[in-house]
Amino acid sequence: MLSCFSHSAFTFGIESHISQSNINGTLVPPAALISILQKGLQYVEAEISINEVGTPRGLATPLHPTTSLDPVAPDSCVERQGRANGCRWKGLGSPAVSQQNPPKNGEATVNGEENGAHAINNHSKPMEIDGDVEIPPNKATVLRGHESEVFICAWNPVSDLLASGSGDSTARIWNLNENSNGGSTQLVLRHCIREGGHDVPSNKDVTSLDWNSDGTLLATGSYDGFARIWTEDGNLASTLGQHKGPIFALKWNKKGNYILSAGVDKTTIIWDAHTGEAKQQFPFHSAPALDVDWQNNTTFASCSTDMCIHVCRLGCDRPVKTFQGHTNEVNAIKWDPSGMLLASCSDDMTLKIWSMKQDTSVHDLQAHSKEIYTIKWSPTGPATSNPNSNIMLASASFDSTVRLWDVERGVCIHTLTKHQEPVYSVAFSPDGKYLASGSFDKCVHIWNTQSGSLVHSYRGTGGIFEVCWNARGDKVGASASDGSVCVLDLRK
């Protein structure tokens, strides 16, 4: 606490609910509150010293009010606290309006728009869902148990186990297999830290989770700075601790021997999944790392609020490639199924495609009118189980639209405009024929990727943070801001 007045400090801590805050205490320097109060007094004095016509009296240098925030979270944006795989908390469905101007009709943008559709914002009243596409209540299972927002969810790759991660400092594994007794059961994976020789709840958000390729282990990343590995029956196998601050993203490699994590401490780490030891830490970003994705079992890309993308390899002490070109924070990156092309999306409203063969972007796709939150490649084309279908890229934006792109030609082939609030998640079905999207308008929409038509819709009870398909492609999971997780059964 800030002083030796322990009773006052205790009262302040209780009444301010500071123990439930997502601000990482290790990032708050001593006397931070006092520093802010001192600066506040300085600004009061400055206001007094300003005369009636607005010119300062005796101030040698201007004061900038934003500096009052510096002691609280050095080098990290408080606005992004707990940002899972990008800007999960940024705006919470009400993002700041971009100040940049989107390309106008007729201007020479790098991409074309085949269908002539443009970003549409309909923020008036909730959209009426057409009865022909509405998923009936008997096909939607609502799973309740989480006590806070559910930011992420992911299906086990080999069975109908759905994992979810929440602001209640737990992950949960829901058993939705047909042979499970009496509906869905849940395992609660409590994220605890050691205090005074005891395990106590961390009270920090679970920001990321990922199953290994054979579905036997689940990795989670937390705002408490620890990654954890769990067995599929909910037992904690190991705790990985080397990040100095929250973890924003985490991924298994395909082989299942390494886990990759990205943190607010500006570093990425490759962990040995068997020993729990950090194999290598990569300190190349100059600001928090937001997302990571494996190119192969030992090479990966990372992106950051520093606007840079680094491609790094285990055993190399420098990035093997650095991509620069975004003019604002890079929220997400994804390698295509062949590992040849890397897609990135940014707060600069652009989507860029990169190749290891050149330094500049292969495509600079400009069509969204607000920040692009996330991107996904379709599981189609070369190196996939659907080689005869063309590969596509989906982008989800705060402009309330989803776009489907033909990356080879660099053109937008469909603009999906039914959502009325920021879109936080998109996911392709395993055969690539359908795309699920989830928005803060509480709706999950499922689209035909060839025609761009809406085929299924479901309105939940909270803003949708994540959507995901099971391995068979007949169920969609969605996690929501009100603590619910819903499962949509798409079988006839």
Side-chain angles (χ1 to χ4, degrees):
M1 282 300 178
L2 293 165
S3 73
C4 57
F5 299 100
S6 56
H7 294 292
S8 301
F10 177 78
T11 302
F12 173 77
I14 294 298
E15 293 187 356
S16 67
H17 301 287
I18 200 166
S19 63
Q20 299 171 23
S21 165
N22 283 328
I23 294 177
N24 186 346
T26 61
L27 293 179
V28 182
L33 180 59
I34 288 176
S35 298
I36 291 174
L37 292 174
Q38 286 174 333
K39 289 189 178 185
L41 291 172
Q42 287 179 339
Y43 300 143
V44 171
E45 289 181 17
E47 285 183 347
I48 294 172
S49 69
I50 299 286
N51 65 24
E52 291 180 359
V53 294
T55 56
R57 295 176 184 151
L59 283 178
T61 56
L63 291 169
H64 299 282
T66 53
T67 58
S68 65
L69 295 176
D70 292 347
V72 179
D75 301 320
S76 69
C77 301
V78 173
E79 125 184 77
R80 292 181 181 271
Q81 55 187 275
R83 174 174 180 158
N85 230 12
C87 45
R88 198 70 75 179
W89 279 251
K90 179 181 170 184
L92 273 181
S94 306
V97 176
S98 296
Q99 299 301 310
Q100 297 165 304
N101 295 317
K104 296 182 178 65
N105 291 345
E107 288 185 353
T109 57
V110 179
N111 64 287
E113 282 203 60
E114 285 202 340
N115 63 354
H118 301 282
I120 299 172
N121 283 312
N122 303 313
H123 298 292
S124 50
K125 59 181 181 179
M127 185 193 76
E128 295 295 325
I129 295 179
D130 188 329
D132 293 338
V133 298
E134 185 173 10
I135 294 174
N138 67 323
K139 291 289 189 178
T141 303
V142 180
L143 308 172
R144 298 202 178 270
H146 280 296
E147 298 169 6
S148 186
E149 309 100 321
V150 189
F151 299 113
I152 38 172
C153 58
W155 289 98
N156 184 294
V158 298
S159 68
D160 276 356
L161 297 176
L162 180 64
S164 58
S166 168
D168 64 7
S169 75
T170 74
R172 293 172 195 239
I173 297 175
W174 309 84
N175 189 344
L176 292 137
N177 288 296
E178 296 298 319
N179 57 5
S180 64
N181 297 327
S184 58
T185 57
Q186 62 174 301
L187 298 171
V188 181
L189 284 50
R190 301 191 185 281
H191 287 55
C192 296
I193 53 175
R194 297 289 289 180
E195 277 188 9
H198 301 285
D199 286 333
V200 297
S202 71
N203 291 327
K204 304 294 183 184
D205 304 345
V206 178
T207 60
S208 44
L209 49 78
D210 193 36
W211 291 96
N212 66 350
S213 57
D214 62 8
T216 57
L217 296 170
L218 177 72
T220 61
S222 170
Y223 207 77
D224 64 14
F226 291 97
R228 295 169 175 85
I229 302 175
W230 311 79
T231 62
E232 61 184 326
D233 53 6
N235 293 317
L236 180 63
S238 55
T239 301
L240 319 176
Q242 190 158 308
H243 278 293
K244 292 181 171 61
I247 292 172
F248 288 153
L250 143 155
K251 301 269 177 67
W252 287 89
N253 67 351
K254 190 173 183 179
K255 189 176 179 181
N257 57 332
Y258 296 137
I259 295 171
L260 174 62
S261 60
V264 76
D265 62 6
K266 313 175 194 176
T267 75
T268 53
I269 297 176
I270 291 179
W271 306 87
D272 186 317
H274 303 300
T275 66
E277 298 297 318
K279 290 285 290 184
Q280 188 173 347
Q281 189 163 16
F282 302 85
F284 305 133
H285 286 293
S286 59
L290 297 181
D291 197 16
V292 285
D293 197 39
W294 291 98
Q295 182 189 28
N296 53 47
N297 283 314
T298 56
T299 305
F300 69 93
S302 62
C303 66
S304 164
T305 63
D306 66 8
M307 304 183 282
C308 289
I309 299 164
H310 294 308
V311 180
C312 301
R313 184 172 296 134
L314 183 64
C316 296
D317 58 4
R318 295 299 307 161
V320 295
K321 194 85 172 173
T322 294
F323 295 122
Q324 292 179 296
H326 281 295
T327 57
N328 209 325
E329 306 181 2
V330 185
N331 293 324
I333 46 171
K334 295 286 183 298
W335 290 99
D336 77 341
S338 70
M340 299 297 290
L341 297 176
L342 180 69
S344 61
C345 65
S346 167
D347 279 1
D348 67 11
M349 304 183 290
T350 73
L351 176 68
K352 298 186 193 297
I353 310 297
W354 312 87
S355 167
M356 293 294 284
K357 297 176 182 177
Q358 63 187 69
D359 293 334
T360 55
S361 61
V362 178
H363 292 297
D364 182 7
L365 307 176
Q366 303 175 27
H368 284 292
S369 60
K370 288 187 181 177
E371 298 93 330
I372 305 174
Y373 181 67
T374 192
I375 45 177
K376 290 285 172 61
W377 292 94
S378 61
T380 52
T384 75
S385 55
N386 310 296
N388 298 321
S389 301
N390 292 332
I391 191 165
M392 287 180 288
L393 185 68
S395 56
S397 170
F398 282 178
D399 66 11
S400 307
T401 71
V402 174
R403 287 177 179 265
L404 284 171
W405 303 86
D406 179 330
V407 174
E408 285 189 12
R409 294 185 295 150
V411 297
C412 177
I413 49 180
H414 294 298
T415 304
L416 313 177
T417 60
K418 295 292 187 185
H419 285 297
Q420 296 179 298
E421 294 291 340
V423 185
Y424 277 86
S425 183
V426 285
F428 283 94
S429 61
D431 60 9
K433 293 180 179 178
Y434 300 99
L435 180 79
S437 61
S439 162
F440 230 65
D441 63 7
K442 303 181 182 179
C443 289
V444 177
H445 293 324
I446 296 168
W447 314 82
N448 181 302
T449 56
Q450 291 304 308
S451 66
S453 60
L454 183 64
V455 293
H456 296 294
S457 277
Y458 172 78
R459 187 189 302 282
T461 52
I464 307 296
F465 277 126
E466 187 94 81
V467 291
C468 55
W469 293 81
N470 68 345
R472 284 193 311 278
D474 58 16
K475 291 176 185 172
V476 170
S479 59
S481 62
D482 67 344
S484 65
V485 178
C486 65
V487 176
L488 309 178
D489 188 340
L490 303 180
R491 293 173 295 182
K492 301 295 184 187

